[in-house]
Every structure is written in structure tokens, then in C-alpha cells.
Amino acid sequence: MNIHLLESREEIREILTNGRYTTLALNDGNDSYILTMHYGLHRKEDILFFECYGNGTKMDFFRSNPYISGTVIAESPDGTVSSVVYSGLLEVIHNPAEQEEARSSIKTGGLSPSGKPYTALEYSTDRILVMKLTMEELSGKVIPAF
């Protein structure tokens, strides 16, 4: 199998643009927590956007250690698998204009396990946090179909 390491930001951004979900790895001392989320990619910078309810286990981990890692995996129709691994600092966005930019980039749609369409989180509630992760480390690879 011939694995191709991605060397250009353009190739990596293409995977991030075409991916639908990211899996985040959160740490708090010796404890770890993994979750999968929708995300958005900033148009020009290496920034991912997220939104979620501002309570629960994930928020405890975010507050304890805002430096997190994640991965995006995308599979092509021909069976080729591409992945991007990243890490960086997660911050809550407070500026309303930045929040709107982030929300407009977050990918929603598709069907939930119940068969109902996914929709964006209700924005009118103050329980929703909009966050950004500035990617400091970023790498990717492509594994051909076998």
C-alpha cells in the first residue's frame, strides 16, 4: 500500500472542506474524552468552528484544558481514504459578527439515525456556545483503496 503524505496546505484544506464531521480528543489530567461534531472551516485561515450546548462533560474538559486534538476522515467513492490530524487552542467566540461567520460555515444537513434531517442548533438560546479552534499543528495523508 502506498500512503501519500500531504505536504501542501491546499491539499489539507481540501480534505477539511470536503469532510463532514470531526472527532475531537479532549484531556483533563489522566482523563480523556472523545466526541464527534459538525464543524466549519474558516475561508482563509487554519481555523475550525464548532457550536454546542454550553454544559456537560465536554464543556468540563474544554474549560480544564482548551488545547485539543482532532481528526477529519473523508472517503472518496473509489475507496480512497484521506485524513487530517490537527491540534490547537479552542476558544469561545463572543463577537456576534464572528459568531455568525462561524455558524454560516458549520456543516449541517444529512439525516440523523432517526431519519430526520439534522438542523443547526437553535441560535436564540444563550445555552449555545460558538467556538473556534486555531490549528497550530496540521498534517494529512491519503491511503489508496485496496
Side-chain angles (χ1 to χ4, degrees):
M1 183 180 323
N2 190 13
I3 296 174
H4 171 68
L5 298 178
L6 302 177
E7 296 181 17
S8 76
R9 280 287 202 252
E10 292 78 25
E11 290 176 301
I12 290 173
R13 286 186 62 84
E14 183 177 334
I15 294 167
L16 292 171
T17 299
N18 294 325
R20 185 175 185 90
Y21 304 100
T22 186
T23 301
L24 301 177
L26 315 172
N27 291 291
D28 180 7
N30 290 330
D31 296 325
S32 57
Y33 188 74
I34 305 268
L35 73 147
T36 302
M37 298 180 70
H38 291 283
Y39 69 94
L41 176 65
H42 190 280
R43 287 175 290 209
K44 295 180 181 173
E45 298 178 44
D46 292 336
I47 295 174
L48 293 180
F49 297 114
F50 309 96
E51 65 177 350
C52 65
Y53 290 102
N55 57 6
T57 303
K58 67 183 169 303
M59 293 313 300
D60 295 339
F61 276 82
F62 288 149
R63 288 183 185 104
S64 172
N65 182 358
Y67 193 81
I68 65 172
S69 299
T71 188
V72 171
I73 299 172
E75 187 172 357
S76 331
D78 70 357
T80 300
V81 176
S82 303
S83 65
V84 171
V85 175
Y86 58 85
S87 59
L89 182 66
L90 185 71
E91 303 170 84
V92 174
I93 298 173
H94 298 286
N95 178 296
E98 262 191 278
Q99 288 179 343
E100 194 51 43
E101 176 187 9
R103 286 184 171 129
S104 68
S105 75
I106 294 172
K107 300 173 184 185
T108 58
L111 296 179
S112 70
S114 68
K116 296 180 180 179
Y118 281 116
T119 56
L121 296 175
E122 179 57 51
Y123 298 141
S124 62
T125 177
D126 59 357
R127 296 182 311 161
I128 303 298
L129 292 180
V130 180
M131 298 176 287
K132 69 178 180 180
L133 178 114
T134 303
M135 295 180 279
E136 297 170 6
E137 296 181 35
L138 196 55
S139 63
K141 65 182 175 183
V142 176
I143 303 170
F146 51 94

Short mmCIF file of all heavy atoms in Angstrom, two decimals, residues 17-82:
data_model
loop_
_atom_site.label_atom_id
_atom_site.label_comp_id
_atom_site.label_asym_id
_atom_site.label_seq_id
_atom_site.Cartn_x
_atom_site.Cartn_y
_atom_site.Cartn_z
N THR A 17 -12.34 20.84 3.85
CA THR A 17 -13.51 21.41 3.18
C THR A 17 -14.53 20.33 2.85
O THR A 17 -15.74 20.53 2.99
CB THR A 17 -13.08 22.14 1.89
OG1 THR A 17 -12.20 23.19 2.24
CG2 THR A 17 -14.28 22.69 1.14
N ASN A 18 -14.06 19.17 2.42
CA ASN A 18 -14.97 18.10 1.99
C ASN A 18 -15.42 17.19 3.12
O ASN A 18 -16.39 16.45 2.95
CB ASN A 18 -14.31 17.27 0.89
CG ASN A 18 -14.11 18.08 -0.37
OD1 ASN A 18 -14.92 18.94 -0.71
ND2 ASN A 18 -13.01 17.85 -1.05
N GLY A 19 -14.73 17.21 4.25
CA GLY A 19 -15.14 16.38 5.38
C GLY A 19 -16.45 16.88 5.97
O GLY A 19 -16.85 18.02 5.74
N ARG A 20 -17.11 16.03 6.69
CA ARG A 20 -18.40 16.40 7.27
C ARG A 20 -18.35 16.47 8.79
O ARG A 20 -18.97 17.31 9.41
CB ARG A 20 -19.44 15.39 6.83
CG ARG A 20 -20.80 15.73 7.28
CD ARG A 20 -21.80 14.74 6.68
NE ARG A 20 -23.11 15.16 7.04
CZ ARG A 20 -23.85 15.98 6.31
NH1 ARG A 20 -23.40 16.43 5.18
NH2 ARG A 20 -25.03 16.34 6.71
N TYR A 21 -17.61 15.57 9.41
CA TYR A 21 -17.51 15.50 10.86
C TYR A 21 -16.05 15.50 11.29
O TYR A 21 -15.18 15.08 10.53
CB TYR A 21 -18.14 14.21 11.40
CG TYR A 21 -19.55 14.00 10.99
CD1 TYR A 21 -19.86 13.15 9.94
CD2 TYR A 21 -20.59 14.66 11.64
CE1 TYR A 21 -21.17 12.94 9.53
CE2 TYR A 21 -21.91 14.46 11.24
CZ TYR A 21 -22.19 13.60 10.18
OH TYR A 21 -23.48 13.41 9.79
N THR A 22 -15.83 15.92 12.52
CA THR A 22 -14.51 15.79 13.12
C THR A 22 -14.66 15.08 14.45
O THR A 22 -15.68 15.20 15.12
CB THR A 22 -13.83 17.17 13.31
OG1 THR A 22 -12.50 16.97 13.78
CG2 THR A 22 -14.59 18.05 14.27
N THR A 23 -13.64 14.33 14.81
CA THR A 23 -13.60 13.70 16.12
C THR A 23 -12.57 14.46 16.95
O THR A 23 -11.43 14.65 16.51
CB THR A 23 -13.20 12.21 16.01
OG1 THR A 23 -14.17 11.56 15.19
CG2 THR A 23 -13.17 11.56 17.37
N LEU A 24 -12.99 14.94 18.12
CA LEU A 24 -12.13 15.73 18.98
C LEU A 24 -11.64 14.87 20.14
O LEU A 24 -12.42 14.10 20.72
CB LEU A 24 -12.89 16.93 19.54
CG LEU A 24 -13.47 17.89 18.52
CD1 LEU A 24 -14.27 18.98 19.23
CD2 LEU A 24 -12.39 18.49 17.66
N ALA A 25 -10.38 15.04 20.50
CA ALA A 25 -9.80 14.35 21.66
C ALA A 25 -9.52 15.41 22.72
O ALA A 25 -8.74 16.33 22.51
CB ALA A 25 -8.51 13.65 21.25
N LEU A 26 -10.19 15.26 23.87
CA LEU A 26 -10.07 16.21 24.96
C LEU A 26 -9.39 15.53 26.14
O LEU A 26 -9.59 14.34 26.37
CB LEU A 26 -11.46 16.69 25.39
CG LEU A 26 -12.42 17.07 24.27
CD1 LEU A 26 -13.80 17.33 24.83
CD2 LEU A 26 -11.91 18.26 23.53
N ASN A 27 -8.60 16.29 26.89
CA ASN A 27 -7.88 15.72 28.03
C ASN A 27 -8.02 16.60 29.25
O ASN A 27 -8.02 17.82 29.14
CB ASN A 27 -6.39 15.56 27.70
CG ASN A 27 -6.18 14.49 26.66
OD1 ASN A 27 -6.38 13.32 26.92
ND2 ASN A 27 -5.79 14.91 25.47
N ASP A 28 -8.09 15.94 30.40
CA ASP A 28 -8.14 16.61 31.69
C ASP A 28 -7.30 15.76 32.65
O ASP A 28 -7.79 14.77 33.19
CB ASP A 28 -9.58 16.71 32.19
CG ASP A 28 -9.69 17.39 33.53
OD1 ASP A 28 -8.68 17.90 34.04
OD2 ASP A 28 -10.80 17.40 34.10
N GLY A 29 -6.03 16.09 32.77
CA GLY A 29 -5.14 15.26 33.58
C GLY A 29 -5.00 13.89 32.94
O GLY A 29 -4.64 13.77 31.78
N ASN A 30 -5.33 12.85 33.70
CA ASN A 30 -5.26 11.49 33.18
C ASN A 30 -6.55 11.04 32.51
O ASN A 30 -6.63 9.93 32.00
CB ASN A 30 -4.91 10.51 34.30
CG ASN A 30 -3.49 10.67 34.77
OD1 ASN A 30 -2.62 11.06 34.00
ND2 ASN A 30 -3.25 10.38 36.03
N ASP A 31 -7.57 11.86 32.53
CA ASP A 31 -8.85 11.51 31.92
C ASP A 31 -8.90 12.03 30.49
O ASP A 31 -8.38 13.11 30.18
CB ASP A 31 -10.01 12.12 32.71
CG ASP A 31 -10.11 11.56 34.11
OD1 ASP A 31 -9.82 10.35 34.29
OD2 ASP A 31 -10.47 12.32 35.03
N SER A 32 -9.54 11.27 29.62
CA SER A 32 -9.72 11.71 28.24
C SER A 32 -11.17 11.54 27.84
O SER A 32 -11.92 10.79 28.45
CB SER A 32 -8.79 10.92 27.30
OG SER A 32 -9.03 9.55 27.43
N TYR A 33 -11.56 12.25 26.80
CA TYR A 33 -12.94 12.26 26.32
C TYR A 33 -12.89 12.48 24.81
O TYR A 33 -12.16 13.34 24.33
CB TYR A 33 -13.70 13.40 27.01
CG TYR A 33 -15.18 13.44 26.76
CD1 TYR A 33 -16.03 12.52 27.37
CD2 TYR A 33 -15.74 14.41 25.95
CE1 TYR A 33 -17.40 12.57 27.16
CE2 TYR A 33 -17.11 14.47 25.75
CZ TYR A 33 -17.93 13.54 26.35
OH TYR A 33 -19.28 13.60 26.15
N ILE A 34 -13.65 11.71 24.08
CA ILE A 34 -13.69 11.80 22.62
C ILE A 34 -15.12 12.14 22.22
O ILE A 34 -16.07 11.57 22.76
CB ILE A 34 -13.31 10.45 21.96
CG1 ILE A 34 -11.96 9.98 22.45
CG2 ILE A 34 -13.42 10.52 20.46
CD1 ILE A 34 -10.79 10.39 21.63
N LEU A 35 -15.28 13.04 21.27
CA LEU A 35 -16.61 13.31 20.73
C LEU A 35 -16.52 13.67 19.27
O LEU A 35 -15.49 14.13 18.79
CB LEU A 35 -17.32 14.39 21.53
CG LEU A 35 -16.87 15.82 21.37
CD1 LEU A 35 -18.09 16.72 21.53
CD2 LEU A 35 -15.87 16.18 22.46
N THR A 36 -17.60 13.44 18.56
CA THR A 36 -17.69 13.74 17.14
C THR A 36 -18.65 14.89 16.95
O THR A 36 -19.73 14.91 17.55
CB THR A 36 -18.16 12.49 16.36
OG1 THR A 36 -17.25 11.43 16.62
CG2 THR A 36 -18.22 12.76 14.87
N MET A 37 -18.25 15.86 16.12
CA MET A 37 -19.06 17.06 15.94
C MET A 37 -19.06 17.50 14.48
O MET A 37 -18.14 17.19 13.72
CB MET A 37 -18.47 18.22 16.77
CG MET A 37 -18.46 17.97 18.25
SD MET A 37 -17.74 19.37 19.16
CE MET A 37 -19.01 20.61 18.95
N HIS A 38 -20.11 18.26 14.13
CA HIS A 38 -20.09 19.01 12.87
C HIS A 38 -19.07 20.13 13.06
O HIS A 38 -18.80 20.54 14.19
CB HIS A 38 -21.45 19.66 12.59
CG HIS A 38 -22.52 18.69 12.26
ND1 HIS A 38 -22.62 18.08 11.03
CD2 HIS A 38 -23.55 18.23 12.98
CE1 HIS A 38 -23.67 17.29 11.02
NE2 HIS A 38 -24.25 17.36 12.19
N TYR A 39 -18.55 20.65 11.98
CA TYR A 39 -17.59 21.74 12.08
C TYR A 39 -17.70 22.62 10.85
O TYR A 39 -18.33 22.27 9.86
CB TYR A 39 -16.16 21.20 12.23
CG TYR A 39 -15.64 20.52 10.98
CD1 TYR A 39 -14.90 21.23 10.04
CD2 TYR A 39 -15.92 19.19 10.72
CE1 TYR A 39 -14.44 20.61 8.89
CE2 TYR A 39 -15.45 18.56 9.59
CZ TYR A 39 -14.72 19.28 8.67
OH TYR A 39 -14.28 18.68 7.53
N GLY A 40 -17.05 23.76 10.93
CA GLY A 40 -16.91 24.64 9.78
C GLY A 40 -15.45 25.03 9.65
O GLY A 40 -14.72 25.02 10.64
N LEU A 41 -15.04 25.37 8.45
CA LEU A 41 -13.66 25.78 8.18
C LEU A 41 -13.66 27.24 7.77
O LEU A 41 -14.45 27.66 6.91
CB LEU A 41 -13.09 24.91 7.05
CG LEU A 41 -11.68 25.24 6.56
CD1 LEU A 41 -10.65 25.00 7.67
CD2 LEU A 41 -11.34 24.40 5.33
N HIS A 42 -12.78 28.01 8.39
CA HIS A 42 -12.61 29.41 8.00
C HIS A 42 -12.20 29.48 6.54
O HIS A 42 -11.46 28.63 6.06
CB HIS A 42 -11.55 30.07 8.89
CG HIS A 42 -11.46 31.54 8.74
ND1 HIS A 42 -10.79 32.15 7.70
CD2 HIS A 42 -11.96 32.54 9.50
CE1 HIS A 42 -10.87 33.46 7.82
NE2 HIS A 42 -11.58 33.73 8.91
N ARG A 43 -12.67 30.48 5.83
CA ARG A 43 -12.40 30.57 4.39
C ARG A 43 -10.92 30.68 4.05
O ARG A 43 -10.49 30.14 3.04
CB ARG A 43 -13.13 31.78 3.80
CG ARG A 43 -14.62 31.57 3.68
CD ARG A 43 -15.24 32.83 3.20
NE ARG A 43 -15.14 33.77 4.33
CZ ARG A 43 -15.97 34.74 4.58
NH1 ARG A 43 -16.94 34.98 3.77
NH2 ARG A 43 -15.84 35.50 5.63
N LYS A 44 -10.13 31.37 4.88
CA LYS A 44 -8.73 31.60 4.51
C LYS A 44 -7.73 31.13 5.56
O LYS A 44 -6.60 30.83 5.22
CB LYS A 44 -8.51 33.09 4.26
CG LYS A 44 -9.29 33.60 3.06
CD LYS A 44 -9.05 35.06 2.83
CE LYS A 44 -9.88 35.53 1.64
NZ LYS A 44 -9.83 36.94 1.45
N GLU A 45 -8.12 31.09 6.81
CA GLU A 45 -7.18 30.76 7.88
C GLU A 45 -7.38 29.32 8.33
O GLU A 45 -8.40 28.71 8.07
CB GLU A 45 -7.37 31.72 9.04
CG GLU A 45 -7.08 33.18 8.66
CD GLU A 45 -7.31 34.11 9.81
OE1 GLU A 45 -6.90 33.78 10.94
OE2 GLU A 45 -7.92 35.17 9.59
N ASP A 46 -6.38 28.80 9.06
CA ASP A 46 -6.45 27.43 9.59
C ASP A 46 -7.21 27.44 10.91
O ASP A 46 -6.66 27.24 12.00
CB ASP A 46 -5.03 26.86 9.79
CG ASP A 46 -4.33 26.62 8.47
OD1 ASP A 46 -5.02 26.45 7.44
OD2 ASP A 46 -3.09 26.59 8.45
N ILE A 47 -8.52 27.69 10.80
CA ILE A 47 -9.41 27.76 11.95
C ILE A 47 -10.63 26.90 11.68
O ILE A 47 -11.22 26.96 10.60
CB ILE A 47 -9.86 29.22 12.21
CG1 ILE A 47 -8.65 30.08 12.61
CG2 ILE A 47 -10.94 29.28 13.27
CD1 ILE A 47 -8.96 31.55 12.74
N LEU A 48 -11.00 26.09 12.67
CA LEU A 48 -12.23 25.32 12.62
C LEU A 48 -13.22 25.95 13.58
O LEU A 48 -12.85 26.45 14.65
CB LEU A 48 -11.99 23.87 13.03
CG LEU A 48 -11.14 23.02 12.10
CD1 LEU A 48 -11.00 21.60 12.66
CD2 LEU A 48 -11.73 22.97 10.71
N PHE A 49 -14.50 25.90 13.21
CA PHE A 49 -15.57 26.44 14.05
C PHE A 49 -16.47 25.30 14.53
O PHE A 49 -16.70 24.33 13.79
CB PHE A 49 -16.44 27.43 13.25
CG PHE A 49 -15.70 28.64 12.77
CD1 PHE A 49 -15.51 28.86 11.42
CD2 PHE A 49 -15.21 29.58 13.66
CE1 PHE A 49 -14.85 29.99 10.95
CE2 PHE A 49 -14.53 30.71 13.22
CZ PHE A 49 -14.36 30.91 11.85
N PHE A 50 -17.00 25.45 15.75
CA PHE A 50 -17.91 24.48 16.34
C PHE A 50 -19.01 25.22 17.07
O PHE A 50 -18.82 26.37 17.48
CB PHE A 50 -17.20 23.59 17.38
CG PHE A 50 -15.94 22.97 16.89
CD1 PHE A 50 -14.71 23.55 17.15
CD2 PHE A 50 -15.98 21.79 16.17
CE1 PHE A 50 -13.55 22.97 16.70
CE2 PHE A 50 -14.81 21.20 15.71
CZ PHE A 50 -13.59 21.80 15.98
N GLU A 51 -20.12 24.54 17.28
CA GLU A 51 -21.14 25.06 18.18
C GLU A 51 -21.70 23.89 18.97
O GLU A 51 -21.78 22.76 18.48
CB GLU A 51 -22.25 25.80 17.44
CG GLU A 51 -23.06 24.94 16.51
CD GLU A 51 -24.19 25.70 15.84
OE1 GLU A 51 -24.47 26.85 16.21
OE2 GLU A 51 -24.80 25.12 14.95
N CYS A 52 -22.03 24.18 20.23
CA CYS A 52 -22.57 23.12 21.08
C CYS A 52 -23.26 23.75 22.28
O CYS A 52 -23.11 24.95 22.54
CB CYS A 52 -21.47 22.16 21.53
SG CYS A 52 -20.23 22.91 22.59
N TYR A 53 -24.02 22.94 22.99
CA TYR A 53 -24.61 23.42 24.23
C TYR A 53 -23.50 23.65 25.23
O TYR A 53 -22.53 22.90 25.30
CB TYR A 53 -25.64 22.41 24.75
CG TYR A 53 -26.87 22.37 23.89
CD1 TYR A 53 -27.08 21.34 22.98
CD2 TYR A 53 -27.81 23.39 23.97
CE1 TYR A 53 -28.20 21.31 22.17
CE2 TYR A 53 -28.93 23.38 23.15
CZ TYR A 53 -29.12 22.34 22.26
OH TYR A 53 -30.22 22.33 21.46
N GLY A 54 -23.62 24.69 26.03
CA GLY A 54 -22.56 25.11 26.93
C GLY A 54 -22.55 24.43 28.28
O GLY A 54 -22.20 25.05 29.29
N ASN A 55 -22.95 23.16 28.30
CA ASN A 55 -22.89 22.41 29.56
C ASN A 55 -22.53 20.97 29.27
O ASN A 55 -22.43 20.56 28.12
CB ASN A 55 -24.24 22.50 30.30
CG ASN A 55 -25.40 21.99 29.45
OD1 ASN A 55 -25.21 21.47 28.36
ND2 ASN A 55 -26.61 22.15 29.95
N GLY A 56 -22.29 20.19 30.30
CA GLY A 56 -22.00 18.77 30.13
C GLY A 56 -20.52 18.45 30.22
O GLY A 56 -19.66 19.32 30.41
N THR A 57 -20.23 17.16 30.04
CA THR A 57 -18.86 16.65 30.19
C THR A 57 -17.89 17.32 29.25
O THR A 57 -16.78 17.70 29.65
CB THR A 57 -18.84 15.12 29.96
OG1 THR A 57 -19.74 14.52 30.88
CG2 THR A 57 -17.46 14.56 30.14
N LYS A 58 -18.26 17.49 27.98
CA LYS A 58 -17.33 18.09 27.02
C LYS A 58 -16.93 19.48 27.47
O LYS A 58 -15.76 19.87 27.34
CB LYS A 58 -17.91 18.10 25.61
CG LYS A 58 -19.10 19.01 25.43
CD LYS A 58 -19.67 18.91 24.04
CE LYS A 58 -20.99 19.59 23.92
NZ LYS A 58 -22.03 19.12 24.82
N MET A 59 -17.86 20.25 28.03
CA MET A 59 -17.53 21.61 28.47
C MET A 59 -16.60 21.58 29.68
O MET A 59 -15.73 22.43 29.81
CB MET A 59 -18.80 22.39 28.77
CG MET A 59 -19.65 22.65 27.53
SD MET A 59 -18.72 23.28 26.10
CE MET A 59 -18.03 24.79 26.76
N ASP A 60 -16.76 20.61 30.56
CA ASP A 60 -15.83 20.47 31.69
C ASP A 60 -14.42 20.25 31.17
O ASP A 60 -13.46 20.85 31.66
CB ASP A 60 -16.25 19.30 32.59
CG ASP A 60 -17.59 19.53 33.28
OD1 ASP A 60 -18.01 20.71 33.39
OD2 ASP A 60 -18.21 18.54 33.70
N PHE A 61 -14.29 19.39 30.15
CA PHE A 61 -12.98 19.12 29.56
C PHE A 61 -12.43 20.36 28.83
O PHE A 61 -11.25 20.69 28.97
CB PHE A 61 -13.04 17.93 28.61
CG PHE A 61 -12.91 16.61 29.30
CD1 PHE A 61 -14.00 16.02 29.92
CD2 PHE A 61 -11.69 15.94 29.35
CE1 PHE A 61 -13.90 14.81 30.57
CE2 PHE A 61 -11.57 14.72 29.99
CZ PHE A 61 -12.68 14.15 30.60
N PHE A 62 -13.27 21.05 28.04
CA PHE A 62 -12.84 22.26 27.34
C PHE A 62 -12.30 23.29 28.32
O PHE A 62 -11.27 23.91 28.09
CB PHE A 62 -13.99 22.90 26.55
CG PHE A 62 -14.43 22.16 25.33
CD1 PHE A 62 -15.76 22.23 24.93
CD2 PHE A 62 -13.55 21.44 24.55
CE1 PHE A 62 -16.20 21.58 23.79
CE2 PHE A 62 -13.97 20.78 23.41
CZ PHE A 62 -15.30 20.85 23.03
N ARG A 63 -13.02 23.49 29.41
CA ARG A 63 -12.61 24.50 30.39
C ARG A 63 -11.33 24.11 31.11
O ARG A 63 -10.51 24.96 31.45
CB ARG A 63 -13.74 24.74 31.38
CG ARG A 63 -14.90 25.50 30.76
CD ARG A 63 -16.00 25.80 31.76
NE ARG A 63 -17.12 26.41 31.11
CZ ARG A 63 -18.26 25.78 30.82
NH1 ARG A 63 -18.43 24.51 31.17
NH2 ARG A 63 -19.23 26.41 30.21
N SER A 64 -11.15 22.83 31.36
CA SER A 64 -9.96 22.35 32.06
C SER A 64 -8.71 22.44 31.21
O SER A 64 -7.64 22.81 31.69
CB SER A 64 -10.17 20.90 32.51
OG SER A 64 -8.99 20.37 33.01
N ASN A 65 -8.84 22.08 29.92
CA ASN A 65 -7.69 22.08 29.02
C ASN A 65 -8.16 22.47 27.62
O ASN A 65 -8.64 21.62 26.88
CB ASN A 65 -7.03 20.71 29.00
CG ASN A 65 -5.80 20.67 28.14
OD1 ASN A 65 -5.43 21.65 27.51
ND2 ASN A 65 -5.16 19.51 28.07
N PRO A 66 -8.05 23.73 27.24
CA PRO A 66 -8.55 24.17 25.94
C PRO A 66 -7.66 23.79 24.76
O PRO A 66 -8.00 24.10 23.62
CB PRO A 66 -8.65 25.68 26.09
CG PRO A 66 -7.60 26.02 27.09
CD PRO A 66 -7.55 24.85 28.04
N TYR A 67 -6.52 23.15 25.01
CA TYR A 67 -5.67 22.70 23.91
C TYR A 67 -6.10 21.29 23.54
O TYR A 67 -5.99 20.37 24.35
CB TYR A 67 -4.19 22.73 24.32
CG TYR A 67 -3.27 22.59 23.13
CD1 TYR A 67 -2.97 23.69 22.34
CD2 TYR A 67 -2.73 21.37 22.78
CE1 TYR A 67 -2.14 23.58 21.23
CE2 TYR A 67 -1.90 21.24 21.67
CZ TYR A 67 -1.62 22.35 20.91
OH TYR A 67 -0.80 22.24 19.82
N ILE A 68 -6.64 21.12 22.32
CA ILE A 68 -7.21 19.83 21.94
C ILE A 68 -6.66 19.37 20.60
O ILE A 68 -6.07 20.14 19.86
CB ILE A 68 -8.75 19.87 21.90
CG1 ILE A 68 -9.25 20.81 20.81
CG2 ILE A 68 -9.33 20.28 23.25
CD1 ILE A 68 -10.74 20.74 20.60
N SER A 69 -6.91 18.10 20.31
CA SER A 69 -6.52 17.49 19.04
C SER A 69 -7.77 16.94 18.37
O SER A 69 -8.78 16.69 19.03
CB SER A 69 -5.54 16.35 19.26
OG SER A 69 -4.38 16.82 19.87
N GLY A 70 -7.67 16.71 17.08
CA GLY A 70 -8.80 16.15 16.36
C GLY A 70 -8.38 15.56 15.04
O GLY A 70 -7.23 15.69 14.62
N THR A 71 -9.36 14.91 14.40
CA THR A 71 -9.11 14.34 13.08
C THR A 71 -10.38 14.45 12.24
O THR A 71 -11.49 14.44 12.75
CB THR A 71 -8.65 12.87 13.19
OG1 THR A 71 -8.26 12.41 11.91
CG2 THR A 71 -9.74 11.97 13.72
N VAL A 72 -10.17 14.58 10.94
CA VAL A 72 -11.24 14.54 9.95
C VAL A 72 -10.87 13.43 8.98
O VAL A 72 -9.73 13.37 8.51
CB VAL A 72 -11.36 15.87 9.19
CG1 VAL A 72 -12.34 15.75 8.02
CG2 VAL A 72 -11.80 16.98 10.13
N ILE A 73 -11.81 12.55 8.68
CA ILE A 73 -11.59 11.46 7.74
C ILE A 73 -12.63 11.57 6.64
O ILE A 73 -13.81 11.75 6.91
CB ILE A 73 -11.70 10.09 8.44
CG1 ILE A 73 -10.63 9.98 9.53
CG2 ILE A 73 -11.57 8.95 7.43
CD1 ILE A 73 -10.74 8.76 10.40
N ALA A 74 -12.16 11.49 5.41
CA ALA A 74 -13.06 11.56 4.25
C ALA A 74 -12.76 10.37 3.34
O ALA A 74 -11.60 10.05 3.09
CB ALA A 74 -12.85 12.86 3.50
N GLU A 75 -13.82 9.72 2.87
CA GLU A 75 -13.65 8.59 1.95
C GLU A 75 -14.24 8.97 0.60
O GLU A 75 -15.35 9.47 0.51
CB GLU A 75 -14.34 7.35 2.49
CG GLU A 75 -14.06 6.12 1.66
CD GLU A 75 -14.59 4.84 2.29
OE1 GLU A 75 -15.12 4.88 3.40
OE2 GLU A 75 -14.45 3.79 1.64
N SER A 76 -13.48 8.73 -0.46
CA SER A 76 -13.95 9.00 -1.82
C SER A 76 -14.77 7.82 -2.32
O SER A 76 -14.64 6.71 -1.80
CB SER A 76 -12.81 9.19 -2.81
OG SER A 76 -11.69 9.69 -2.24
N PRO A 77 -15.57 8.03 -3.35
CA PRO A 77 -16.35 6.93 -3.92
C PRO A 77 -15.50 5.75 -4.37
O PRO A 77 -15.95 4.61 -4.35
CB PRO A 77 -17.06 7.58 -5.11
CG PRO A 77 -17.12 9.03 -4.77
CD PRO A 77 -15.88 9.31 -3.97
N ASP A 78 -14.24 6.00 -4.73
CA ASP A 78 -13.37 4.89 -5.18
C ASP A 78 -12.73 4.13 -4.02
O ASP A 78 -11.96 3.20 -4.23
CB ASP A 78 -12.30 5.40 -6.14
CG ASP A 78 -11.24 6.26 -5.45
OD1 ASP A 78 -11.35 6.53 -4.24
OD2 ASP A 78 -10.29 6.66 -6.15
N GLY A 79 -13.03 4.53 -2.76
CA GLY A 79 -12.49 3.83 -1.60
C GLY A 79 -11.22 4.44 -1.05
O GLY A 79 -10.71 3.98 -0.02
N THR A 80 -10.70 5.49 -1.67
CA THR A 80 -9.53 6.18 -1.14
C THR A 80 -9.93 6.90 0.15
O THR A 80 -10.97 7.54 0.22
CB THR A 80 -9.00 7.21 -2.16
OG1 THR A 80 -8.65 6.53 -3.34
CG2 THR A 80 -7.82 7.98 -1.62
N VAL A 81 -9.09 6.76 1.18
CA VAL A 81 -9.36 7.40 2.46
C VAL A 81 -8.33 8.50 2.70
O VAL A 81 -7.12 8.27 2.59
CB VAL A 81 -9.31 6.37 3.61
CG1 VAL A 81 -9.49 7.05 4.96
CG2 VAL A 81 -10.37 5.30 3.41
N SER A 82 -8.81 9.69 3.01
CA SER A 82 -7.94 10.82 3.34
C SER A 82 -8.20 11.22 4.77
O SER A 82 -9.34 11.17 5.25
CB SER A 82 -8.25 12.01 2.43
OG SER A 82 -8.12 11.66 1.09
#
